[in-house]
Amino acid sequence: MKSAPKTTQSQNGAEPSVNFTPVPVVIFLLVGILFYLGQLYLDHYGGGFNGKVYGPYDSWKMVENLQPKGAGDIVFAQGRKIYDTACLACHQGSGMGSAGIAPPLAGSEWVLAAKPDRLVRIAHLGVSGPITVKGVAWNMQMPGMGRDLGLSDEDMAALLTYIRGNKEWGNNASVVTTEQVKAARDPVRERQTQITVEELSSVPDQ
């Protein structure tokens, strides 16, 4: 009769166990560095994850700038250049104006009126005296941009179109045509003094 097989134990008689080896800290550092470099790469070459952006272009803005420009885009760009030269220092790139110096153009009732006749005269002659913009009283001594800088009717139309239609400021008023500028300027074209709110109030804004 055969005897049953004997079981064996480890040399010290202990139960088997699993040991865990710590991961070196340098591995975590390398992974973190690779992740960071990957983010930099995507930020620079990912095109903002816009499906319309392909190499060699890095952003939608670059692609958009290369698109064919219509007449409205050209006028708007012309108006921006004039604004940056004549108005930016006081009214700021945001159109929010400067405290105690210049009122905001963004959301201004004077800018967004249905008819641009008042705005044309303000830009051409400047404004003197008290004026209320968005519920805030100002005491203005604004120079006449059109008169002092010798802006043509075309330049003035482009400038006011940019101001009235600047969606970055929240403005979305209609374009200003050269014909509208000429009609509003002709009665005051030779005037050498600024206009007042009392005089502007007699100019229809609708």
Side-chain angles (χ1 to χ4, degrees), residues 58 84 108 117 119 123 125 146 172 204:
D58 298 333
D84 288 349
S108 166
D117 294 20
L119 185 62
L125 296 172
N172 194 26

Side-chain angles (χ1 to χ4, degrees), residues 64-81:
E64 188 177 36
N65 288 339
L66 294 172
Q67 300 305 305
K69 299 293 189 288
D73 295 321
I74 294 172
V75 170
F76 197 81
Q78 179 187 359
R80 181 191 294 270
K81 289 182 179 178

Side-chain angles (χ1 to χ4, degrees), residues 152-174:
S152 67
D153 291 342
E154 291 79 8
D155 288 340
M156 184 71 79
L159 171 62
L160 300 184
T161 293
Y162 171 74
I163 292 172
R164 282 167 55 86
N166 194 325
K167 293 181 175 58
E168 293 179 2
W169 300 351
N171 291 354
N172 194 26
S174 60

Side-chain angles (χ1 to χ4, degrees), residues 129-151:
I131 186 172
T132 300
V133 181
K134 298 178 69 173
V136 178
W138 297 76
N139 189 24
M140 295 296 300
Q141 288 299 326
M142 171 187 164
M145 295 293 100
R147 181 191 62 212
D148 295 350
L149 298 179
L151 297 181

Side-chain angles (χ1 to χ4, degrees), residues 10 50 101 112 197 201:
S10 59
N50 189 320
I101 299 175
L112 302 178
V197 170
S201 63

